[in-house]
Amino acid sequence: MAGRSEGWIDERTDRMNDNNSSHGEPMMLISFICIVLLGVTLPSISGQPLPPSLGGSPPGGLGSPLGTCIDIVFLYDISCSIQKEDMLRSVEFTKALLDRLDIRKTMDNTGSRQTETRIAAALFASNLHHVIHLNEFTADKNEILAALDKVKDAIEKTVVDCDTRTNIGIEALESTYFTEEYDRREEAFDGKQKYPNAAVIFTDARTKPARHIKFLVADIENVKAAGIDLFLVLLQNKFQKDGEYRPPTDVEILTGGDTNKLYDIRGGLDDINQARGLADYLNMNYQCGLANDDFLLCADLIFAYDVSCSITPETKVLMKYVMEKTYKMLTSGEVGGLAEVSVSAIAFDQTARTQFNISDFTQAGVDSITESLENLDMMVDECRTVTQNVFYEAQVLVDDPANREKAPNYLIIFYDGLTAPLQRRNQTIAAARNFREPADTEIIMIRLNNNRNKDGTLEFEQIPSFSENEDVFFNLPNDRSKGNFLNEENKDQIVLELLSQLERSLCEV
C-alpha cells in the first residue's frame, strides 16, 4: 500500500474540521456537467457571436472533465495612452479569467505536483518590466490568484512612458518566458504538446512609434512559428481626436483576424462576460490529455455500490456501466499510458458483501474481471443502508496479501449519501475517516439519485478523501434539475472524470 510520494499527503486537509471546505464549490464537476445539460447564452465579443463550442457557461466554466493544461503569459500595456484604472481593471479581468479556468494539479514522474495551468506576467511600454515567471506560483489556484496582486503593485510603482512597443512583450515570450531556464514544459501527449503556450495581451493595440509595427509583425510570426497562441484584450486609448477616441491599429496583426482571439473591454461594462468567454474558450480548447506514455498508472480499485431499496433498477444498470467502462478503458490502453489495475467489488445495503476480490484474479486475465463486473449481483438483501459496513469490508480487502504494496488503493463508492437509519450517520462518517487515514488510501464518491428525493449532501461533504474542488466530484448542492447524480446523459463524462482521478496514481516505470 506504500509507494505514493509525500506530495499526495501535502494536499490533504482535515475536512472533518472544516465545514467551509471547497467541497461546497466543485467547480470541476460543474465544468463538465454543464457541457451536456445547460445552455446559457453569453454576450457576443466585439459584435461577433461566440463560437458554437461555447454555447453556454454557468459559473465555473465549460471545460474538459480532465482539467485545462496551458502555460499563459499575461502582458499588460502601461503606456501613457492607457488610463491607470484600466490597467488595474486588466488585472481584475485576469483574476476572473483564472478563477473560471478548470485549474487542477498533476503529478509528474518524479512525484512532484504542480498546477496544470501556470502563469507569468509582465508590463510593457517602451521596455519590458518583468513581474512573474511561470515556475514561481504553482501550488494551487488560490496561490496563482494571490500572486496577481504583484502585478497591481508593479503597475502602481512603475513610471509609465508614452511609447507602446508591443513587440517588446511579444519578443519576450520566446526569449524570457517560454524557456528552459524558467521551466518550459516540453511533455507531449498524442503527438501534441501537453502544455501549450499562450499569451494574453492587454493593450489599446496602437504601436507607437508606428514605424515599429514592422518589428511587431516579425515577432508575431516568430512566436506563432514556435506554437505560441496570442489573445488580445482590447483597452481604450484615452486620447481623442475630433471628439473620437483613437482607434486600435494592430488588432488584425495581433489576432490574425480570428475573432475567438479578440476580447473587448473598452466600454468597461462587460468585463465579467468577456473574461468568462475567454476562460471558456481556453477550457474547451486546451483540455488536458490522460496519462502520458512515460508513466505507469497503477491502482487497486474497490468498487462499492449501493443496492438498497432507495436505488432504482435503472440506476443499478448505470452503476454497472460506469464500472465496466472504466476498467475497460484502463486496461485497453485508451488512457494513453500503461496501466496495472486490480479490481474488487462490494455490494452493500444493511450488510456489505464482497462479490470478488483481488486474490480471485491473481492468475486471471482482463476478460475474467470484465465478465465478473458484467455479472455483479444487484439484488437487495435488506432495505436499510448501514454504510459503515462498507469501510470495514473494504479494509479487509486492502489488508489482503494479494493487495500490491506499490499501488494506491481507491474505494469508489456509488451511493445516495443516506445512511439508514440516520442515527448511524456519525458511525458512517467515523468509519470513512478511519479508512482513508493512510496516505495511499483514497475514497471517491459518485452520487446516486435517491428514489424518495431525500438529500444525502451531508455525507458527501464528509466522506471523500480529497478536500480540493479539483479532486472531488459529484458533491454538489442538492439540485437534481441539473443532473448532479449519475444519469444516462452524464455516465460517459463520469467515466472520464474517474479516469482523470486515477491518472494521479503514478508508479515508477
Side-chain angles (χ1 to χ4, degrees):
M1 295 188 302
R4 251 189 296 186
S5 71
E6 293 181 0
W8 283 76
I9 304 172
D10 294 340
E11 300 304 325
R12 294 163 60 102
T13 59
D14 190 350
R15 184 168 17 90
M16 297 291 291
N17 295 326
D18 185 4
N19 292 329
N20 294 319
S21 75
S22 59
H23 275 280
E25 301 181 29
M27 308 305 287
M28 174 209 53
L29 169 64
I30 295 173
S31 71
F32 70 79
I33 281 184
C34 296
I35 296 173
V36 181
L37 298 174
L38 296 179
V40 181
T41 301
L42 287 175
S44 63
I45 300 171
S46 300
Q48 299 293 329
L50 288 172
S53 62
L54 302 185
S57 51
L62 298 177
S64 165
L66 306 174
T68 302
C69 284
I70 189 172
D71 286 342
I72 313 174
V73 178
F74 292 96
L75 298 172
Y76 300 90
D77 183 346
I78 59 165
S79 62
C80 69
S81 61
I82 309 294
Q83 296 277 12
K84 176 68 71 68
E85 64 185 53
D86 287 343
M87 299 177 195
L88 297 174
R89 196 158 53 87
S90 298
V91 182
E92 293 305 314
F93 180 102
T94 307
K95 288 184 177 182
L97 161 66
L98 292 172
D99 190 48
R100 193 173 178 82
L101 282 189
D102 191 3
I103 299 176
R104 310 189 198 172
K105 298 176 75 173
T106 189
M107 181 187 292
D108 65 21
N109 57 358
T110 67
S112 63
R113 298 187 78 189
Q114 62 177 334
T115 49
E116 291 179 319
T117 298
R118 303 183 310 171
I119 73 159
L123 317 179
F124 70 91
S126 61
N127 294 292
L128 187 80
H129 304 273
H130 165 71
V131 184
I132 298 171
H133 278 300
L134 287 168
N135 57 359
E136 286 190 69
F137 301 99
T138 63
D140 54 34
K141 179 187 284 190
N142 289 334
E143 182 180 75
I144 292 172
L145 292 173
L148 288 170
D149 288 336
K150 289 170 62 71
V151 180
K152 281 191 170 182
D153 291 342
I155 289 172
E156 293 285 4
K157 294 175 182 177
T158 304
V159 177
V160 302
D161 57 65
C162 286
D163 279 358
T164 306
R165 296 278 306 275
T166 311
N167 66 292
I168 294 289
I170 300 298
E171 188 275 334
L173 297 176
E174 278 197 282
S175 65
T176 304
Y177 292 102
F178 297 122
T179 64
E180 184 176 349
E181 180 181 1
Y182 294 109
D183 199 23
R184 174 172 177 155
R185 298 185 287 189
E186 298 288 355
E187 297 98 319
F189 172 74
D190 196 23
K192 300 178 182 178
Q193 190 172 351
K194 183 175 181 182
Y195 298 100
N197 302 150
V200 177
I201 308 154
F202 296 86
T203 180
D204 60 1
R206 283 183 66 90
T207 292
K208 181 184 177 184
R211 66 178 181 273
H212 287 290
I213 287 180
K214 62 183 178 182
F215 301 121
L216 176 63
V217 171
D219 286 325
I220 286 178
E221 288 178 355
N222 290 336
V223 299
K224 287 186 176 180
I228 301 171
D229 295 330
L230 302 179
F231 296 86
L232 170 62
V233 180
L234 199 56
L235 303 179
Q236 184 67 65
N237 182 294
K238 72 180 183 182
F239 297 119
Q240 296 187 27
K241 183 177 181 180
D242 299 328
E244 298 288 336
Y245 287 111
R246 291 180 177 175
T249 57
D250 305 342
V251 171
E252 185 77 16
I253 298 170
L254 289 165
T255 65
D258 185 349
T259 56
N260 290 318
K261 304 294 180 67
L262 173 61
Y263 297 82
D264 190 344
I265 59 172
R266 285 177 295 178
L269 301 177
D270 199 31
D271 293 19
I272 293 300
N273 282 329
Q274 294 290 293
R276 287 177 175 176
L278 178 49
D280 290 342
Y281 183 88
L282 297 177
N283 280 334
M284 289 294 293
N285 290 280
Y286 298 87
Q287 299 178 11
C288 296
L290 284 168
N292 287 331
D293 290 337
D294 293 338
F295 296 158
L296 175 63
L297 188 157
C298 58
D300 289 341
L301 309 183
I302 303 172
F303 290 117
Y305 56 98
D306 186 347
V307 294
S308 66
C309 297
S310 62
I311 308 302
T312 65
E314 292 79 10
T315 297
K316 292 177 180 179
V317 171
L318 293 172
M319 287 193 291
K320 189 180 293 188
Y321 175 89
V322 171
M323 287 185 269
E324 289 179 39
K325 187 163 185 179
T326 299
Y327 181 69
K328 287 178 180 178
M329 289 188 71
L330 284 170
T331 54
S332 67
E334 290 184 54
V335 298
L338 301 174
E340 287 186 0
V341 179
S342 65
V343 180
S344 303
I346 300 171
F348 69 95
D349 41 38
Q350 180 165 291
T351 62
R353 306 173 295 280
T354 294
Q355 304 300 297
F356 59 86
N357 62 28
I358 293 170
S359 58
D360 292 336
F361 297 105
T362 53
Q363 302 299 321
V366 170
D367 291 343
S368 297
I369 299 176
T370 302
E371 183 178 355
S372 296
L373 289 171
E374 291 172 351
N375 295 321
L376 284 174
D377 182 6
M378 293 286 172
M379 298 300 295
V380 180
D381 184 34
E382 295 286 346
C383 277
R384 290 187 172 186
T385 311
V386 185
T387 315
Q388 68 195 71
N389 290 330
V390 173
F391 305 104
Y392 304 148
E393 188 74 6
Q395 190 62 54
V396 172
L397 297 178
V398 169
D399 293 338
D400 190 306
N403 192 43
R404 300 170 298 169
E405 288 189 2
K406 72 174 183 177
N409 300 290
Y410 282 91
L411 176 59
I412 301 163
I413 307 177
F414 296 78
Y415 182 40
D416 63 1
L418 289 157
T419 296
L422 283 176
Q423 293 92 320
R424 296 192 180 186
R425 174 171 274 170
N426 287 340
Q427 288 98 310
T428 294
I429 293 169
R433 188 178 190 181
N434 288 335
F435 177 80
R436 69 168 190 261
E437 186 64 28
D440 62 346
T441 302
E442 311 289 2
I443 300 172
I444 297 174
M445 297 182 70
I446 298 175
R447 186 191 291 271
L448 304 181
N449 188 26
N450 178 280
N451 63 9
R452 296 162 189 162
N453 292 318
K454 293 184 178 180
D455 182 4
T457 298
L458 178 62
E459 291 185 41
F460 275 81
E461 292 176 344
Q462 302 282 347
I463 290 176
S465 294
F466 302 119
S467 61
E468 295 177 281
N469 60 18
E470 66 185 33
D471 283 331
V472 177
F473 56 97
F474 286 75
N475 182 24
L476 290 174
N478 190 42
D479 184 355
R480 284 172 170 71
S481 67
K482 294 182 181 177
N484 70 322
F485 50 82
L486 173 60
N487 58 51
E488 184 67 33
E489 286 74 25
N490 65 22
K491 62 184 182 181
D492 289 307
Q493 294 291 342
I494 292 172
V495 171
L496 290 176
E497 186 54 48
L498 188 50
L499 290 171
S500 76
Q501 299 299 320
L502 299 177
E503 186 200 10
R504 276 68 174 174
S505 301
L506 301 176
C507 298
E508 294 182 6
V509 178

